[in-house]
Amino acid sequence: MTFEQFRLSLTNRIPPKFDSPHLLAMWYDAQKEWNAAHQAIQDVSDARAAQIHAYLHRKEGDTFNASYWYRKAGTTMPEVGLDQEWEQLVRLFCD
């Protein structure tokens, strides 16, 4: 799935069948469904899932928890806004 296809999928009320929970989490986040996004990624233990966890906790305003997840992902909290971080993450997971 390309980034543009992902963006178009946001007009649907039901998520498409994604190959990974990473994109599903980002899709739910874009739909303003934080809990569903968090649940979609909660049991995934790779570094990319940690990045999404960090982003989600940063978005909810829990910078302490977000910092933990950024460290777990091997990165630091970005100096960009949430919208730009969202796009960077989605582009990372799209083909």
Side-chain angles (χ1 to χ4, degrees):
M1 173 174 282
T2 67
F3 178 75
E4 291 73 24
Q5 290 169 324
F6 183 87
R7 275 264 226 248
L8 285 173
S9 78
L10 297 174
T11 61
N12 300 325
R13 297 181 51 81
I14 299 171
K17 301 276 186 205
F18 291 114
D19 291 337
S20 77
H22 304 85
L23 281 175
L24 180 62
M26 299 308 290
W27 189 91
Y28 278 123
D29 177 68
Q31 299 295 333
K32 301 187 182 347
E33 300 217 18
W34 190 95
N35 287 328
H38 191 261
Q39 186 172 352
I41 204 68
Q42 188 164 352
D43 294 328
V44 182
S45 60
D46 61 27
R48 289 181 169 188
Q51 283 181 280
I52 294 172
H53 255 106
Y55 161 80
L56 290 171
H57 288 295
R58 177 180 175 218
K59 186 172 187 175
E60 79 171 334
D62 186 352
T63 55
F64 181 80
N65 201 4
S67 294
Y68 164 80
W69 285 103
Y70 283 116
R71 283 191 307 276
K72 192 165 178 144
T75 188
T76 58
M77 192 176 302
E79 306 233 351
V80 298
L82 290 167
D83 291 340
Q84 189 172 351
E85 183 179 9
W86 178 89
E87 183 173 333
Q88 289 171 349
L89 287 169
V90 172
R91 287 185 182 278
L92 178 66
F93 304 124
C94 286
D95 296 330

